[in-house]
Amino acid sequence: MAVNDLILRTVTRLIIPFIQVMGIYIVVHGHLSPGGAFAGGAVVAASFILGTMVLGPTSSSGRSWGNIGRVMESVGGIWFIVLGLVGVLVGTGFLSNQAAGIPAGRTGLMLSAGLVPWMGIGLGVKVTATMVSLFRGLAGGQEDD
Amino acid sequence: MRRAVAGLAVAILGVLLMMVVVGMPAFGDPAAPMNNELPERFLGEGPDETGALNIVAAIILDYRAYDTLGEATVLFAAVASMMAVLAAAKGGYGRE
């Protein structure tokens, strides 16, 4: 599952970091600007899918990253639930944010809105892992899992 | 005959759906039924109550975070079922 085309491979190598920075920006600014965890996670996943399609399922050193997707899938979900349990520990309720006394910060800064950006990061990781795992599974990339 | 019946059914369904569309309130109509106290609360109090400027993020990650947890579960179920089906097609779960 790799393309042997010099132009395509070169452009893919150049463009993947920019796609990932764009996607991470959308995820971490989800509480301030349009976009959010689902959109940004899909953008990051698109970069991984592009890399898998053009450069092949293994890195240049021959190491496969097939298992990372599955692990990050669970990490994102557990992270979300752990943040939700903060409210339970404080005594207000599952997934409560301002009610649990988490400082909101100054509205408009990146570190504001309490748990919202942190839950967005976990959700973005999960969306990315889901899309990459689905693609790699259905595209027949199972031999390197 | 079957094609005629199917065509008639599609035509009737289409007319019914078009009647629904014609009866919908205009875009941005202040008298629309969905313009109730809910968007008033979210748009007016949202930035103060959650600290998030993006009102969509405030809703999906604060007001309705439990619903988003369900969405994350759907994503997990999609991947888990895909892996289960592919493992079955390749000769059983847990095969190395």
Side-chain angles (χ1 to χ4, degrees), chain A:
Chain A
M1 202 171 29
V3 181
N4 208 357
D5 182 274
L6 181 66
I7 297 173
L8 199 53
R9 289 178 76 93
T10 309
V11 170
T12 301
R13 266 173 223 270
L14 282 176
I15 210 170
I16 278 179
F18 292 100
I19 299 176
Q20 291 182 345
V21 168
M22 179 76 190
I24 293 167
Y25 173 89
I26 294 174
V27 170
V28 299
H29 287 79
H31 58 302
L32 299 176
S33 58
F38 287 100
V43 171
V44 178
S47 78
F48 283 117
I49 290 172
L50 179 69
T52 307
M53 285 174 75
V54 175
L55 303 174
T58 53
S59 70
S60 54
S61 59
R63 218 166 56 113
S64 164
W65 34 272
N67 272 323
I68 302 173
R70 284 199 239 168
V71 174
M72 293 317 279
E73 171 95 29
S74 308
V75 167
I78 292 168
W79 173 246
F80 199 91
I81 294 171
V82 165
L83 287 181
L85 287 175
V86 169
V88 175
L89 288 178
V90 175
T92 48
F94 189 54
L95 287 168
S96 60
N97 185 13
Q98 298 301 307
I102 289 139
R106 202 154 66 79
T107 301
L109 293 182
M110 212 176 103
L111 277 179
S112 66
L115 290 181
V116 170
W118 301 104
M119 296 201 300
I121 289 168
L123 201 59
V125 166
K126 191 164 171 55
V127 171
T128 302
T130 301
M131 284 188 65
V132 173
S133 303
L134 280 177
F135 171 76
R136 290 168 67 88
L138 294 175
Q142 289 282 310
E143 73 275 1
D144 56 282
D145 266 351

Side-chain angles (χ1 to χ4, degrees), chain B residues 10-95:
Chain B
V10 169
I12 291 172
L13 196 62
V15 167
L16 286 175
L17 289 175
M18 284 310 290
M19 283 165 68
V20 172
V21 170
V22 167
M24 277 169 71
F27 181 74
D29 185 4
M34 63 273 212
N35 237 342
N36 52 22
E37 67 277 4
L38 214 56
E40 253 174 50
R41 168 71 183 268
F42 285 153
L43 292 174
E45 310 285 326
D48 287 333
E49 285 186 349
T50 66
L53 290 180
N54 183 1
I55 202 67
V56 177
I59 291 174
I60 70 167
L61 290 176
D62 195 328
Y63 289 116
R64 294 186 181 162
Y66 195 58
D67 180 68
T68 307
L69 182 62
E71 273 181 61
T73 313
V74 169
L75 294 178
F76 187 82
V79 170
S81 55
M82 189 260 317
M83 283 175 175
V85 168
L86 288 182
K90 287 181 178 225
Y93 179 76
R95 190 188 62 101

